[in-house]
Amino acid sequence: MGIADKETRNVPTLASIAERVGVSVNTVSRALRAPNTVRVELRRRINAAMEELNYVPNRLAGGLSGTRSDIVGVVVTSLYYSEFASIVDTLQSGLLEQDLQVMLANTRYNPDQEVRLVRSILSWRPAAVAIIGVDHPPKVVELLKASGIPIIEMWDVGGEVIDTAVGMDHASIGAAQAAHLIAEGYARLAFVGSLRENDRRAQKRLRGAEAAVVAAGLPEIVRFTAQQNGSPDLGERLTHELLEQRPEVDAIVCNSDVVAFGALRALKRRGRRIPGEIGVIGFGDNEASSCVSPSLTTIRPDRERIGKLTAEAILARINDGAPKTTVVDWELIIRESTRRRDSQNQ
Amino acid sequence: MGIADKETRNVPTLASIAERVGVSVNTVSRALRAPNTVRVELRRRINAAMEELNYVPNRLAGGLSGTRSDIVGVVVTSLYYSEFASIVDTLQSGLLEQDLQVMLANTRYNPDQEVRLVRSILSWRPAAVAIIGVDHPPKVVELLKASGIPIIEMWDVGGEVIDTAVGMDHASIGAAQAAHLIAEGYARLAFVGSLRENDRRAQKRLRGAEAAVVAAGLPEIVRFTAQQNGSPDLGERLTHELLEQRPEVDAIVCNSDVVAFGALRALKRRGRRIPGEIGVIGFGDNEASSCVSPSLTTIRPDRERIGKLTAEAILARINDGAPKTTVVDWELIIRESTRRRDSQNQ
DNA sequence: TTGAAAGCGCTACCAC
DNA sequence: GTGGTAGCGCTTTCAA
């Protein structure tokens, strides 16, 4: 059977409601859009007819003819491991109040895909686009600028902003990670985890950390990285390689908490005492980071706040507010995996 | 400034391309949709004009006039803690190949919200809808059935299916959790975690576990649950309550791994030996579950497979394939938190 | 191979 | 308060 009967099925339209009630299409439309311009008893009958026929307005038509489309395009680089899921979640629920619908795209850190997906999103004539990052292929920037709609860049800030940005200063995060390790007495740092060519945020954090290390007069950061997705297995594998090739390393900056989980596993398997012999710091504050042992020192981004501020920025921009960039705070969460001085020092 | 210039900005249309090239709108449309019906040199000029003007087709118009809309509505109950994020991820990338766009909605386990969101999604005239669960408010079922489009219910199976389902048998999961604990010699089971009124999957698992316990002649399962989102903090709090009020309990079934993380923390704080004195089993196989200590025994749903099969089912149904229900396997992952017999027994 | 014309379902504008 | 009319930008016949 399939959906062959779709053609014969008559989805109710404004016209069918109008006919049934005996009014013009126009009146039915106003009953929805500006109810108080329609006589109350007529409105009642119209609503009854809609209810009865299970009428669902066709927003494609509405968007085509009206001035706004009520779609917000959301472009992320990943959905795995809670990295951006809760941003999308908060953003979504903020937009819901204004009946704005989220159209989702996931580039998986692939710039060609990003161009394709942005084009695809724009083809729905969204009211606004929210996108992860401030570094995009030139074509993406061109397309987004040409669209003339509000563009909110999330998660990162700095450099050229297309329109409005809500994000963190990732260089300062890297600097804080290194500074914390150095303050705890670690001196030979390594960076472990996924470091994709197109993950500019990770690169900025690494550079921030490198600057801090150089400023402290310590040897440069050793890198053990990969292009693939971060995961405990990746962290474990890279950490084993690290320990074999660079045994002098006494602290590991992981690009994400899930990578750090694997690093902890590798270190324990090799009998290295954490944080005594070697320290580990993560990034992201995974829900499990306070539950592993030793519990993981990490950076906690305020994802809810980014999602919420992005929703607010979208609404403000749609209502002709001015573009602006908001730098969102993050927090260094010190737990056991790096704390080797007395508790008085934390 | 805001976006006030949006009105004056001329977004290129098929007509503007046509005018520029000196052909009819029609020809430009065919150059996109059926390129080989257009003279090659004309096609070249048309493509050049599109490139130059940064033309992006208006799919609202296309969907309105054409037969399909290329939107797939995806309705989830949560985006937190990786519960469904990777399903959405896989699904999305499967649909991408067919240029189908995901429109996302998150009900947060609220049935009123579900009705509202399904209505909202349907108003975009999607080509199909994928939705978590097989238990929905009657209005949702009515709306989805009346829409005449393929409906794929994900994650759960059993009972009345609207059209097509791809999910797991949650009762058997609960039974397996209990059976494993019983086989390891535990006898006084508790269920801990979020147990929302509208999370039928959790309820089915609990009932499956209860049946197994009864069949084994053991006392009924003690419940310490809450309506809120599952989290380590919730697990910790409920476990403390549990241990105070029902000290005889020797095994805990947690409704999710993140809850189990909190349970482990509470147990360790109280000096209970795991798995010796008390066992803990989770659900969901969180990325950190192999990294906590003791590592967590849990159930691993095949989220990638569910996402992939859902994408395939959508494509099949759109192309007039028949509806069908697919039961997806899950796996019991035995780790340290429950393994108290010799390793030969695992 | 190309073009003209109708229409998808709705909103917006102007009469009444 | 209500209705007529003209599009929105595209696809889809049907003719040329």
Side-chain angles (χ1 to χ4, degrees), chain B residues 85-100:
Chain B
S86 66
I87 292 184
V88 174
D89 190 16
T90 324
L91 174 56
Q92 211 260 154
S93 84
L95 296 175
L96 194 59
E97 294 161 23
Q98 309 294 318
D99 259 300
L100 289 167

mmCIF file of all heavy atoms in Angstrom, chain B residues 85-100:
data_model
loop_
_atom_site.group_PDB
_atom_site.id
_atom_site.type_symbol
_atom_site.label_atom_id
_atom_site.label_comp_id
_atom_site.label_asym_id
_atom_site.label_seq_id
_atom_site.Cartn_x
_atom_site.Cartn_y
_atom_site.Cartn_z
ATOM 1 N N ALA B 85 20.743 12.097 21.398
ATOM 2 C CA ALA B 85 21.513 12.939 20.482
ATOM 3 C C ALA B 85 22.143 12.118 19.361
ATOM 4 O O ALA B 85 22.124 12.525 18.200
ATOM 5 C CB ALA B 85 22.581 13.716 21.244
ATOM 6 N N SER B 86 22.649 10.939 19.694
ATOM 7 C CA SER B 86 23.340 10.211 18.630
ATOM 8 C C SER B 86 22.347 9.539 17.682
ATOM 9 O O SER B 86 22.678 9.257 16.536
ATOM 10 C CB SER B 86 24.351 9.214 19.197
ATOM 11 O OG SER B 86 23.703 8.196 19.896
ATOM 12 N N ILE B 87 21.136 9.289 18.147
ATOM 13 C CA ILE B 87 20.103 8.822 17.213
ATOM 14 C C ILE B 87 19.822 9.926 16.200
ATOM 15 O O ILE B 87 19.801 9.702 14.992
ATOM 16 C CB ILE B 87 18.787 8.460 17.946
ATOM 17 C CG1 ILE B 87 18.987 7.229 18.816
ATOM 18 C CG2 ILE B 87 17.664 8.219 16.942
ATOM 19 C CD1 ILE B 87 17.720 6.751 19.503
ATOM 20 N N VAL B 88 19.630 11.139 16.712
ATOM 21 C CA VAL B 88 19.354 12.274 15.830
ATOM 22 C C VAL B 88 20.506 12.474 14.860
ATOM 23 O O VAL B 88 20.306 12.709 13.663
ATOM 24 C CB VAL B 88 19.123 13.561 16.652
ATOM 25 C CG1 VAL B 88 18.987 14.765 15.724
ATOM 26 C CG2 VAL B 88 17.887 13.424 17.518
ATOM 27 N N ASP B 89 21.711 12.320 15.375
ATOM 28 C CA ASP B 89 22.906 12.492 14.558
ATOM 29 C C ASP B 89 22.923 11.517 13.383
ATOM 30 O O ASP B 89 23.069 11.911 12.221
ATOM 31 C CB ASP B 89 24.135 12.286 15.449
ATOM 32 C CG ASP B 89 25.415 12.675 14.740
ATOM 33 O OD1 ASP B 89 25.333 13.367 13.722
ATOM 34 O OD2 ASP B 89 26.485 12.283 15.217
ATOM 35 N N THR B 90 22.786 10.241 13.698
ATOM 36 C CA THR B 90 22.826 9.227 12.638
ATOM 37 C C THR B 90 21.660 9.397 11.665
ATOM 38 O O THR B 90 21.823 9.293 10.456
ATOM 39 C CB THR B 90 22.744 7.807 13.245
ATOM 40 O OG1 THR B 90 23.462 7.787 14.472
ATOM 41 C CG2 THR B 90 23.296 6.791 12.302
ATOM 42 N N LEU B 91 20.506 9.644 12.214
ATOM 43 C CA LEU B 91 19.318 9.841 11.396
ATOM 44 C C LEU B 91 19.539 10.989 10.421
ATOM 45 O O LEU B 91 19.307 10.883 9.217
ATOM 46 C CB LEU B 91 18.130 10.127 12.317
ATOM 47 C CG LEU B 91 16.803 10.514 11.683
ATOM 48 C CD1 LEU B 91 16.353 9.459 10.691
ATOM 49 C CD2 LEU B 91 15.743 10.699 12.770
ATOM 50 N N GLN B 92 20.019 12.072 10.961
ATOM 51 C CA GLN B 92 20.278 13.266 10.174
ATOM 52 C C GLN B 92 21.209 12.979 9.010
ATOM 53 O O GLN B 92 20.931 13.373 7.877
ATOM 54 C CB GLN B 92 20.940 14.278 11.112
ATOM 55 C CG GLN B 92 20.679 15.689 10.853
ATOM 56 C CD GLN B 92 21.790 16.381 10.118
ATOM 57 O OE1 GLN B 92 21.507 17.351 9.457
ATOM 58 N NE2 GLN B 92 23.035 15.902 10.198
ATOM 59 N N SER B 93 22.263 12.275 9.306
ATOM 60 C CA SER B 93 23.237 12.074 8.237
ATOM 61 C C SER B 93 22.705 11.077 7.204
ATOM 62 O O SER B 93 23.060 11.157 6.032
ATOM 63 C CB SER B 93 24.582 11.641 8.814
ATOM 64 O OG SER B 93 24.615 10.270 9.029
ATOM 65 N N GLY B 94 21.823 10.186 7.634
ATOM 66 C CA GLY B 94 21.207 9.273 6.667
ATOM 67 C C GLY B 94 20.254 10.006 5.735
ATOM 68 O O GLY B 94 20.134 9.681 4.556
ATOM 69 N N LEU B 95 19.575 10.999 6.269
ATOM 70 C CA LEU B 95 18.592 11.734 5.467
ATOM 71 C C LEU B 95 19.264 12.729 4.535
ATOM 72 O O LEU B 95 18.754 13.077 3.484
ATOM 73 C CB LEU B 95 17.620 12.471 6.387
ATOM 74 C CG LEU B 95 16.753 11.571 7.262
ATOM 75 C CD1 LEU B 95 15.920 12.405 8.217
ATOM 76 C CD2 LEU B 95 15.852 10.699 6.395
ATOM 77 N N LEU B 96 20.436 13.164 4.959
ATOM 78 C CA LEU B 96 21.161 14.185 4.217
ATOM 79 C C LEU B 96 21.394 13.757 2.771
ATOM 80 O O LEU B 96 21.299 14.569 1.849
ATOM 81 C CB LEU B 96 22.510 14.407 4.909
ATOM 82 C CG LEU B 96 23.281 15.635 4.516
ATOM 83 C CD1 LEU B 96 22.441 16.872 4.795
ATOM 84 C CD2 LEU B 96 24.586 15.696 5.292
ATOM 85 N N GLU B 97 21.688 12.479 2.603
ATOM 86 C CA GLU B 97 21.979 11.969 1.259
ATOM 87 C C GLU B 97 20.819 12.205 0.305
ATOM 88 O O GLU B 97 21.005 12.316 -0.899
ATOM 89 C CB GLU B 97 22.291 10.472 1.335
ATOM 90 C CG GLU B 97 23.567 10.192 2.107
ATOM 91 C CD GLU B 97 23.625 8.748 2.582
ATOM 92 O OE1 GLU B 97 22.949 7.893 1.985
ATOM 93 O OE2 GLU B 97 24.332 8.479 3.577
ATOM 94 N N GLN B 98 19.628 12.238 0.865
ATOM 95 C CA GLN B 98 18.446 12.463 0.017
ATOM 96 C C GLN B 98 17.998 13.915 0.094
ATOM 97 O O GLN B 98 16.866 14.232 -0.268
ATOM 98 C CB GLN B 98 17.304 11.558 0.462
ATOM 99 C CG GLN B 98 17.683 10.103 0.592
ATOM 100 C CD GLN B 98 18.029 9.503 -0.749
ATOM 101 O OE1 GLN B 98 17.352 9.761 -1.735
ATOM 102 N NE2 GLN B 98 19.091 8.704 -0.796
ATOM 103 N N ASP B 99 18.843 14.769 0.615
ATOM 104 C CA ASP B 99 18.487 16.172 0.742
ATOM 105 C C ASP B 99 17.251 16.397 1.587
ATOM 106 O O ASP B 99 16.484 17.326 1.344
ATOM 107 C CB ASP B 99 18.283 16.791 -0.630
ATOM 108 C CG ASP B 99 19.500 17.597 -1.027
ATOM 109 O OD1 ASP B 99 19.813 18.534 -0.302
ATOM 110 O OD2 ASP B 99 20.127 17.247 -2.040
ATOM 111 N N LEU B 100 17.071 15.535 2.555
ATOM 112 C CA LEU B 100 15.962 15.735 3.482
ATOM 113 C C LEU B 100 16.484 16.482 4.700
ATOM 114 O O LEU B 100 17.550 16.170 5.231
ATOM 115 C CB LEU B 100 15.374 14.381 3.903
ATOM 116 C CG LEU B 100 14.602 13.653 2.809
ATOM 117 C CD1 LEU B 100 14.335 12.209 3.196
ATOM 118 C CD2 LEU B 100 13.291 14.379 2.524
#
